[in-house]
Amino acid sequence: MGPSYRWVIVGVGALMTCIGIGAMFSLAVYLEPISTETGWSRAGISGAMTIDFLTMGIAGFAWGAASDRFGTRPVVLSGALLLGLGLFLASRATSLIEFQLTYGILVGLAAGAFFAPMIAAATVWFENNRSLAVSLVSAGMGVAPMTISPFARWLISTYDWRTAMMIVGLMAWALLIPAALLVRQPPVPRPSALPATGAGSDLGAEWSVADALRSPQFLVLALTFFACCAAHSGPIFHMVSYAMLCGIPAMTAVSIYSVEGLSGLGGRLLLGVLADRLGAKRVLIGGLLVQALAIGTYLYVSKLGEFYALAIVFGTAYGGVMPLYAVLAREYFGPRIMGTVFGAATMVSSLGMALGPWAGGMIFDTFHDYRWLYVGAFSVGLGAMAIALTFPPLPSRSRERLQPA
């Protein structure tokens, strides 16, 4: 394996995040058909997504630690097997609790096996252009609304939601199991080739996992990640339903979701390049501000053109900031415990992701309107930016040279 194999890792990671996270988020597309066919409440169906995020968070921590210890390949292979199984069993569910447990637990376990481990793997393979590489891996999440969600919507229109979910599960097995076999650990450089100091050295050598998880750096990272996800998860998940409530046809509403995902892909690339040049911390703060303002703007849109325009801005912002947490974790704690630390941060963020879909469902069931969802999400988004302003300074090369002396 030469240095060029790192781009294979990026491609495999993008595919896994696209299918894994995309299959999980497609519950937004299934929401109305499931409710109509079964009579289950939207809050109850959305509860499956809440369980998904909670499970994904806990699993992400465990999977990240496992990838540090055993390697990434067995972790993502397990995730591939679980994803297909979860979707297949959920498509056969006959009660709400059965659906919540199969879709929530199994699909959540699978999604946790892809995001944090593959992001951590990319940071280890890359020394230069690390922000761009991480952004490309997470770009699969941006591609998902343009591929998995419209595909699921087409299957629902052609067959029904149960058949659609089963087909997506079979497709996950067919694509992800071979992809998992392509994952490799980076070649270990010869001792003479190891840099003595600087950004290429293991900045995390002095960190134990316990010290890292108790540090102010991790606390601010995790809280910012939590608030960021709590702010955007509800608007993302309920956007299709909100657009339909405004009189937009179902397939057209899904196309808004796709535009949002395409913009998220562009945002990941744009903010990734900017982070390599300006620093991840600065770019993250700016992106969080734009995200909060975009969420607040949803209160004033109702027409298709307005939805499309806002989807571009919102997608660029929330898509662009997501990879930057991994970059900051790598810069603060180094590669040795990257999987564990970023997995722990992802676990905290998943609590925020779990909050939005549930809150949105409860708000709609209570008020038959989504206005208070956007008011609350806007406030939480501003809070995320305020927390990010307290990030401790990143380790500088000059301090690293002084530490050995």
Side-chain angles (χ1 to χ4, degrees):
M1 292 183 298
S4 61
Y5 198 81
R6 60 186 183 168
W7 295 109
V8 175
I9 300 298
V10 168
V12 168
L15 176 66
M16 289 179 172
T17 56
C18 174
I19 297 176
I21 306 298
M24 188 177 82
F25 268 82
S26 290
L27 184 58
V29 176
Y30 295 106
L31 182 61
E32 191 272 336
I34 292 176
S35 180
T36 301
E37 193 256 315
T38 62
W40 301 337
S41 70
R42 295 195 183 199
I45 300 167
S46 301
M49 182 62 82
T50 299
I51 297 171
D52 259 321
F53 286 127
L54 293 173
T55 304
M56 184 178 73
I58 297 170
F61 181 37
W63 288 127
S67 67
D68 283 341
R69 182 164 184 174
F70 304 110
T72 307
R73 185 198 291 180
V75 169
V76 295
L77 183 58
S78 300
L81 294 171
L82 286 170
L83 180 62
L85 179 63
L87 292 171
F88 180 82
L89 293 178
S91 72
R92 304 294 96 195
T94 57
S95 67
L96 178 58
I97 186 64
E98 184 182 352
F99 179 82
Q100 288 175 330
L101 293 178
T102 52
Y103 197 97
I105 293 177
L106 292 180
V107 175
L109 279 172
F114 301 128
F115 183 65
M118 288 307 300
I119 291 285
T123 66
V124 176
W125 271 90
F126 283 80
E127 289 297 336
N128 299 319
N129 300 316
R130 186 178 294 135
S131 296
L132 177 60
V134 170
S135 297
L136 288 171
V137 171
S138 70
M141 297 173 65
V143 175
M146 299 180 291
T147 53
I148 307 300
S149 296
F151 180 57
R153 180 66 253 183
W154 178 80
L155 289 173
I156 292 169
S157 300
T158 305
Y159 304 102
D160 55 63
W161 74 267
R162 294 184 185 276
T163 304
M165 193 172 290
M166 181 179 66
I167 292 174
V168 173
L170 295 174
M171 181 189 71
W173 274 337
L175 294 176
L176 294 184
I177 292 174
L181 300 177
L182 295 174
V183 176
R184 303 282 191 278
Q185 295 297 107
V188 179
R190 295 188 305 273
S192 59
L194 289 171
T197 59
S201 60
D202 186 353
L203 303 181
E206 71 276 12
W207 288 101
S208 68
V209 171
D211 288 340
L213 298 184
R214 289 195 298 262
S215 67
Q217 293 93 324
F218 177 78
L219 180 63
V220 175
L221 177 73
L223 288 178
T224 305
F225 207 176
F226 168 85
C228 170
C229 291
H232 67 229
S233 60
I236 292 171
F237 184 77
H238 291 280
M239 191 280 301
V240 173
S241 297
Y242 177 55
M244 292 171 64
L245 195 65
C246 292
I248 295 173
M251 199 65 192
T252 307
V254 175
S255 74
I256 302 171
Y257 189 49
S258 299
V259 169
E260 206 172 80
L262 178 62
S263 301
L265 173 60
R268 284 170 169 84
L269 300 178
L270 174 62
L271 271 65
V273 171
L274 289 176
D276 280 329
R277 296 189 176 186
L278 304 177
K281 187 168 112 175
R282 291 181 182 178
V283 176
L284 175 65
I285 292 170
L288 290 173
L289 175 60
V290 175
Q291 173 183 269
L293 295 175
I295 291 170
T297 306
Y298 268 107
L299 292 166
Y300 305 101
V301 302
S302 59
K303 298 179 181 178
L304 181 60
E306 297 170 345
F307 270 107
Y308 279 139
L310 186 56
I312 294 172
V313 178
F314 183 43
T316 299
Y318 83 72
V321 299
M322 291 298 283
L324 302 183
Y325 298 103
V327 177
L328 286 167
R330 173 64 168 80
E331 291 177 346
Y332 278 125
F333 303 105
R336 185 176 59 85
I337 57 173
M338 172 65 188
T340 306
V341 170
F342 186 60
T346 302
M347 177 175 67
V348 176
S349 75
S350 294
L351 299 176
M353 292 298 292
L355 182 62
W358 173 82
M362 290 294 294
I363 288 170
F364 183 84
D365 288 344
T366 303
F367 300 104
H368 303 287
D369 187 78
Y370 284 113
R371 184 170 302 274
W372 286 108
L373 169 64
Y374 294 106
V375 171
F378 168 70
S379 302
V380 175
L382 290 179
M385 186 199 69
I387 298 169
L389 290 170
T390 67
F391 266 115
L394 288 167
S396 66
R397 292 192 176 190
S398 60
R399 283 203 301 273
E400 290 162 30
R401 293 193 183 96
L402 291 173
Q403 281 176 359

